[in-house]
Structure formats: structure tokens, C-alpha cells
Amino acid sequence: MTVSLLRIRQKPLYSVTGAVLIGCDGVNSVVAKWLGFKAPTFIGQAAIRGCVNFKSNHGFEPKSFQFFGKGFRSGFLPYDDTSIYWFLTTSKDKEREDDLIKMMQFVLRKLGNENVPDEIKAIVENTELDSIILSPLRYRHPWELLWGNINKDNVCVAGDALKPMTPDIGQGGCAALEDGVVLARCLDGALIKEKSEETKGKGDREREEYKRIEMGLKNYAKERRWRRIDLISIPYFVGFIQQGNGQVTSFLRDNILPAFLARLLLNKADFDCGKLNIS
């Protein structure tokens, strides 16, 4: 098959020929659109995220910190002895979208209104402006994966192209790695020529290889479908509870979710996608 690599405006850069097309082209996947998936749904929230390097030991324990307020939540996570990742999730505001200074001021104002400790606010204050981004949060409706085509012929999708999801349980990158392991295992046998094909003509060999690839992608889709539905549904539910301001959601967030969430995160991370024994 021939694949055209596209610019944002859909103008071909060049074409390549291959036996299989795996769409790993992100949330706005062109391949997912070709397979019939709709554009991911915006959930009405955006995440302002940043990373800061203190150049020396910051003194925080390797723990995750989260703070909740009216219409927003924020979190901080050290990922080594000198660096910290932080985020603040709130309703999307066009006014702040392209203005890094306004985003920084907004985050500090929210943290100040909720009486967050000064050492936490200092994390944001020490973040360089070019280390801050704003991302609209989007996800794919679970029922689209239930009924949709993860593969068609010799084409499939993986990673965020398959499962745009909110970041509330921290499994986006992990799930993409799972996809890669399962996909490699399912395609391994398909791309190996059998001895019986050596006496066949080129056309017959290509047709048989195509059929094996198609079956391998079907097996991949079957194996990943329910795992992906799970990983889309759970984060959305968790985020809805965490971000909610109603009496019921606030009660669940403050009294039930903390203990439940810790166990949930461990369970979702402790997933065995099988061994990658390839030929």
C-alpha cells in the first residue's frame, strides 16, 4: 500500500510504500478519522502544566500532592531530586490560551485563594515560562471503541490515536506501550514467510502475507478493545468526581475517593499485557 505523509493542511510531503499502516499520529489522528472515528470530545476543561528544575535538591518527598477548590484542582509530583511536575485543571479560557504570563498569574491566584502552602506556590513561581503549556482535555466516547473499527484491512491505530483519554489516572503513556507490545506480538507471525510460500509466485505470496497481516491486526483489536474502553471510562469518572462542586460529588471526593483512588491507580497500573517473544 502507498501512504502519503501529510502536513497540517493535508498537503502530501512524500509517499512511502509498506505492508501495514499503524496510525500513531496522536489525538487528532488522520488514520483514526479514515477508520471512521469521530474527533475526540472536548470535556470543557483544560490543564495548565509545567515542569521546574531547582538545580539543587528541592526537599520534597517522592509523593503526589493534590489540592481541590471551586472549579479547579491542582497537583504536584517530584520526578527526581531536583525537578517537579505540576498541573492545574480548570475550565478553558480563550483569554489565557496564548498568554503564558496570564496563565502563570491565574495559577498563582487560584492557589492563593485556596491557602495552598507557600512552598507549593514557590514551585509555580520558579517555573520558566517556556516550561508551561495549556492543553484542552479530550477523550473518545467508550461506545465508539465498542462499535468502531480499530483496524480495517491492513490499517490500525495505537496510542492516543486509538484512545484519547483524560490524564486522571496517569496511564496514557503506559497504555501506548501496552499497545506496542501487543501489536508487535500479533504482527510477528504475520510478517514471517512460511516455507510453503517459497514455491509460489510473487502475487500469491503478497496476497497470503496481506491476509496474515489482516488477521494479526484483528487479533490486536480484539485483545485491546476492552482494556482501552476501561482506560477511557475510569479516568473520565475520576476526573468528574475530582472536579465537581456539587454536594454529592464533593462528598464522594472528600470522603470516599482518596482511599479508593490509591487502590484503583495500583490496579490499573498492574496490568500484564503478555510477553514480547518475537522471532
Side-chain angles (χ1 to χ4, degrees):
M1 69 176 296
T2 299
V3 180
S4 294
L5 301 186
L6 308 176
R7 295 181 187 272
I8 293 177
R9 294 184 179 179
Q10 308 300 308
K11 293 181 179 179
L13 288 171
Y14 56 89
S15 297
V16 294
T17 300
V20 59
L21 172 60
I22 303 168
C24 299
D25 47 341
V27 175
N28 299 312
S29 171
V30 175
V31 180
K33 183 178 180 181
W34 182 86
L35 287 170
F37 286 112
K38 297 178 182 178
T41 300
F42 174 54
I43 68 170
Q45 300 170 11
I48 302 173
R49 313 180 198 194
C51 290
V52 57
N53 189 312
F54 286 93
K55 304 285 192 298
S56 60
N57 195 307
H58 48 60
F60 286 94
E61 295 183 59
K63 295 180 180 180
S64 175
F65 303 84
Q66 288 207 47
F67 303 90
F68 302 94
K70 290 186 177 181
F72 90 97
R73 56 197 159 104
S74 185
F76 303 84
L77 178 66
Y79 58 91
D80 60 29
D81 291 337
T82 61
S83 303
I84 296 176
Y85 160 79
W86 61 265
F87 73 89
L88 185 139
T89 304
T90 184
S91 58
K92 192 169 184 231
D93 188 338
K94 286 287 185 182
E95 183 181 348
R96 294 188 302 270
E97 188 168 321
D98 300 316
D99 193 321
L100 295 176
I101 295 178
K102 285 185 177 180
M103 278 196 278
M104 173 81 81
Q105 293 172 342
F106 174 79
V107 174
L108 290 172
R109 187 168 64 251
K110 285 291 187 181
L111 296 179
N113 291 342
E114 297 300 323
N115 297 316
V116 172
D118 289 341
E119 60 264 37
I120 295 294
K121 288 187 285 186
I123 295 172
V124 178
E125 291 171 342
N126 283 280
T127 304
E128 299 290 339
L129 289 179
D130 59 3
S131 297
I132 301 175
I133 61 170
L134 182 143
S135 306
L137 300 184
R138 292 174 285 177
Y139 86 125
R140 194 179 303 291
H141 292 299
W143 52 86
E144 288 189 52
L145 282 186
L146 181 61
W147 304 112
N149 293 317
I150 296 175
N151 72 290
K152 182 180 179 182
D153 300 327
N154 61 339
V155 178
C156 74
V157 281
D160 282 343
L162 169 60
K163 60 92 198 74
M165 57 191 265
T166 60
D168 298 283
I169 62 171
Q171 286 296 302
C174 300
L177 293 173
E178 291 173 14
D179 285 347
V181 171
V182 175
L183 185 57
R185 190 170 60 238
C186 290
L187 285 177
D188 177 41
L191 297 175
I192 298 176
K193 293 181 180 180
E194 298 178 358
K195 290 185 178 181
S196 59
E197 293 183 30
E198 295 177 359
T199 58
K200 296 180 180 179
K202 180 179 179 181
D204 290 335
R205 291 199 304 270
E206 288 180 348
R207 280 190 291 272
E208 293 199 12
E209 181 184 62
Y210 184 93
K211 289 179 180 178
R212 293 199 305 271
I213 290 173
E214 185 178 17
M215 182 56 64
L217 295 183
K218 285 182 178 178
N219 291 336
Y220 158 75
K222 181 179 179 181
E223 187 169 342
R224 295 302 292 162
R225 190 182 304 274
W226 286 105
R227 169 68 171 168
R228 287 304 203 168
I229 289 174
D230 184 41
L231 287 179
I232 288 176
S233 305
I234 295 298
Y236 180 83
F237 172 76
V238 169
F240 177 80
I241 297 296
Q242 288 183 324
Q243 198 83 10
N245 284 322
Q247 291 184 346
V248 175
T249 53
S250 296
F251 175 81
L252 291 173
R253 181 190 67 207
D254 298 339
N255 298 281
I256 297 177
L257 188 61
F260 172 74
L261 183 59
R263 186 167 58 253
L264 176 69
L265 293 177
L266 290 174
N267 288 340
K268 295 305 171 187
D270 188 21
F271 178 80
D272 185 1
C273 61
K275 295 182 179 179
L276 183 57
N277 295 323
I278 58 176
S279 304

